[in-house]
């Protein structure tokens, strides 16, 4: 069995679904079910004995210790985090608690369990920490992409809290010998993405006839990877990654935000044309920029490609088309997400009027 934390969130749930589509090895899924956790995403696993869901906090050392003793997983994959930069700007407390304190408590509970394992199990055990390219800071237009040895220069409360967690993971290996692996991935997109992040927000707002809010000039660059390619990279690193190493994960897909929004509009114009015949691009509006907005992220994934033979399956063009189609095909998932706390969040962030 493997223990996945944060497995009801966007990437964690995609990982659990993909894992169980490929293996019969069970998954113990520990998730606090914050606003970002959505069990509806895992509805296809209802009644499947290979998926054991526990609602709880990675910061609850006693709970994690009990789960480890009872289920004896061979690996822990830590997705659990507060993940949205804009929320971290409005209030960083939850980011500090989960991403830093929570990771610390999880590491301690895992270390206590791991140190009592028989030697063979101890050697085979892995703690894989899922992190982000944002810990490396922002690149100038002509700078080379982030390698694993790039300095850690986080600029947002979110990325600072993730960098702190990466350092803790490193230290638990260096000091205590815990067999850790860390992945630092670029921006993900794909099915089940909570519509507070750029790509799903633009799709959902476009279809609802709402404004498409582009921060500042829209020329900030992100490096996009289809979520299922991130999941395949994590599986590969878990299987064959060298203990103590960091692996950058990315698809060599740098795009300015405004180009992403235009691509989404063009796909929707083709797949679900507006009733009035106008293009969805007419809904684009430029809004106030994000404070401290990182200008450019880019991932150099050559280590993962050369050492572990990983390659993404999707190009941006195939991945974004699948993603837009997925949102068109799943209006119920979107509607249920929107009827929850998401609506209040939109109001805080964009000052949108509350709707009945
Ligand atoms: P998400 O916000 O969609 O999901 C996070 C999940 O963690 C939710 O299900 C939430 O309920 C759960 N959670 C939060 N606090 C918890 C706690 N204290 N205990 C247990 N569960 C808790 O995030 P995501 O986009 O799926 O990201 C998953 C991981 O991948 C995060 O660590 C994030 O930093 C990292 N990452 C994300 C991206 C991206 O583009 N989304 C890119 C690179 C890395
Ligand atoms: P986001 O999806 O929040 O991911 P991150 O900040 O972790 O990269 O944002 C992606 C980019 O899109 C980022 O440069 C901010 C920008 N953005 C907008 O322009 N408008 C929006 O409404 C959102 C949510 C993001």
């Amino acid at each position: 069995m493997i223990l996945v934390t944060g497995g009801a969130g966007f990437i964690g749930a995609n990982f659990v679904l993909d894992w169980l589509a490929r293996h019969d090895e069970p998954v113990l899924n520990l998730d606090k079910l914050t606003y970002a956790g959505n069990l509806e995403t895992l509805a296809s696993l209802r009644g499947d004995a290979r998926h054991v869901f526990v609602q709880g906090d990675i910061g609850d050392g006693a709970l994690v210790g009990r789960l480890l003793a009872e289920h004896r997983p061979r690996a822990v994959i830590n997705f659990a985090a507060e993940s949205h930069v804009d929320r971290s700007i409005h209030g960083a407390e939850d980011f500090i608690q989960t991403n830093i304190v929570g990771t610390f408590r999880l590491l301690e509970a895992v270390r206590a369990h791991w140190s009592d394992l028989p030697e063979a199990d101890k050697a085979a055990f892995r703690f894989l920490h899922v992190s982000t390219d944002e810990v490396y800071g922002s690149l100038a237009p002509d700078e080379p992409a982030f390698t694993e040895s790039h300095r850690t220069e986080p600029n947002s409360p979110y990325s600072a809290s993730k960098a702190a967690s990466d350092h803790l993971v490193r230290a638990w290996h260096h000091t205590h010998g815990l067999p850790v692996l860390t992945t630092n991935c670029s921006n993900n997109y794909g099915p089940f993405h909570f519509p507070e992040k750029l790509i799903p927000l633009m799709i959902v707002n476009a279809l609802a006839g709402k404004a498409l809010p582009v921060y500042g000039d829209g020329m900030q660059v992100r490096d996009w990877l289809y979520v299922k390619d991130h999941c395949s990279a994590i599986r590969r690193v878990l299987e064959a990654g060298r203990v103590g190493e960091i692996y950058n994960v990315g698809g060599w897909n740098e795009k300015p935000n405004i180009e992403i929004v235009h691509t989404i509009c063009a796909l929707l114009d083709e797949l679900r044309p507006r009733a009035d015949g106008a293009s969805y691009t007419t809904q684009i509006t430029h809004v106030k920029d994000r404070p401290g907005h990182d200008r450019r992220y880019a991932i150099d994934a050559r280590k993962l490609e050369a050492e572990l033979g990983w390659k993404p399956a999707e190009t941006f063009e195939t991945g974004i088309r699948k993603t837009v189609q997925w949102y068109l095909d799943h209006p119920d998932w979107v509607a249920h997400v929107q009827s929850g706390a998401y609506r209040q969040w939109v109001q805080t962030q964009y000052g949108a009027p509350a709707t009945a």
Side-chain angles (χ1 to χ4, degrees):
M1 173 178 260
I2 57 167
L3 167 57
V4 167
T5 71
F10 165 48
I11 306 172
N14 273 288
F15 180 86
V16 170
L17 291 168
D18 283 6
W19 180 272
L20 291 175
R22 283 176 166 74
H23 302 248
D24 276 333
E25 183 175 11
V27 175
L28 172 61
N29 185 348
L30 173 65
D31 194 296
K32 189 177 174 182
L33 295 181
T34 67
Y35 79 94
N38 186 349
L39 281 181
E40 203 172 323
T41 302
L42 298 166
S44 62
L45 296 177
R46 223 170 267 148
D48 188 329
R50 298 173 306 160
H51 180 236
V52 180
F53 182 80
V54 176
Q55 183 173 3
D57 194 323
I58 57 166
D60 183 344
L63 170 67
V64 176
R66 266 200 322 275
L67 291 173
L68 291 168
E70 186 184 337
H71 296 278
R72 305 184 68 77
R74 68 174 175 97
V76 175
I77 304 160
N78 184 30
F79 292 94
E82 288 295 331
S83 70
H84 189 34
V85 173
D86 293 321
R87 285 181 190 260
S88 80
I89 295 168
H90 283 267
E93 181 70 32
D94 289 346
F95 290 75
I96 306 304
Q97 282 308 327
T98 285
N99 300 1
I100 306 180
V101 179
T103 302
F104 155 67
R105 297 236 171 91
L106 179 66
L107 281 166
E108 277 297 77
V110 171
R111 181 169 77 91
H113 170 76
W114 168 79
S115 52
D116 285 342
L117 290 175
E119 279 313 311
D121 293 351
K122 221 173 150 178
F125 191 88
R126 295 289 181 271
F127 181 97
L128 192 154
H129 181 61
V130 180
S131 192
T132 164
D133 60 358
E134 303 192 25
V135 301
Y136 298 123
S138 185
L139 290 166
D142 52 348
E143 274 186 284
F146 301 125
T147 64
E148 289 79 0
S149 55
H150 194 280
R151 270 182 62 182
T152 307
E153 290 177 325
N155 293 318
S156 73
Y158 163 65
S159 56
S161 68
K162 288 298 290 187
S165 70
D166 294 9
H167 291 319
L168 292 172
V169 170
R170 176 189 160 88
W172 260 241
H173 171 65
H174 194 82
T175 302
H176 298 298
L178 191 69
V180 307
L181 298 155
T182 299
T183 53
N184 290 84
C185 189
S186 59
N187 283 59
N188 284 214
Y189 66 100
F192 304 113
H193 204 180
F194 194 81
E196 65 182 352
K197 306 278 172 75
L198 180 73
I199 288 181
L201 182 93
M202 293 298 162
I203 300 171
V204 166
N205 274 17
L207 291 170
K210 293 184 181 164
L212 307 180
V214 173
Y215 297 164
D217 63 2
M219 289 309 291
Q220 305 82 5
V221 171
R222 298 292 182 265
D223 189 351
W224 294 95
L225 184 69
Y226 192 61
V227 63
K228 288 175 185 302
D229 284 326
H230 187 189
C231 295
S232 75
I234 291 170
R235 289 196 302 273
R236 186 68 192 131
V237 171
L238 181 65
E239 178 179 62
R242 281 183 294 133
V243 164
E245 292 291 313
I246 293 169
Y247 292 91
N248 280 356
V249 186
W252 307 95
N253 273 311
E254 283 183 64
K255 309 259 182 224
N257 294 337
I258 191 72
E259 191 182 319
I260 298 285
V261 178
H262 276 276
T263 301
I264 290 168
C265 289
L267 282 165
L268 288 173
D269 286 341
E270 175 198 327
L271 298 168
R272 182 71 55 85
R274 271 175 39 155
D276 64 1
S279 169
Y280 286 97
T281 53
T282 56
Q283 292 168 229
I284 295 174
T285 49
H286 287 263
V287 299
K288 197 159 95 45
D289 207 353
R290 172 188 281 174
H293 199 168
D294 283 339
R295 201 66 188 163
R296 175 176 166 239
Y297 304 139
I299 274 284
D300 182 333
R302 278 179 295 184
K303 177 176 171 182
L304 176 61
E305 292 167 359
E307 230 181 71
L308 302 183
W310 173 85
K311 280 255 175 296
E314 303 292 341
T315 62
F316 185 73
E317 288 64 36
T318 60
I320 192 71
R321 181 174 282 274
K322 281 186 183 175
T323 303
V324 170
Q325 190 65 57
W326 186 89
Y327 279 87
L328 290 172
D329 293 343
H330 294 83
D332 287 353
W333 186 90
V334 173
H336 295 168
V337 166
Q338 285 181 310
S339 62
Y342 173 69
R343 206 170 267 197
Q344 289 149 30
W345 165 245
V346 168
Q347 210 178 334
T348 317
Q349 177 69 0
Y350 303 109
T355 45

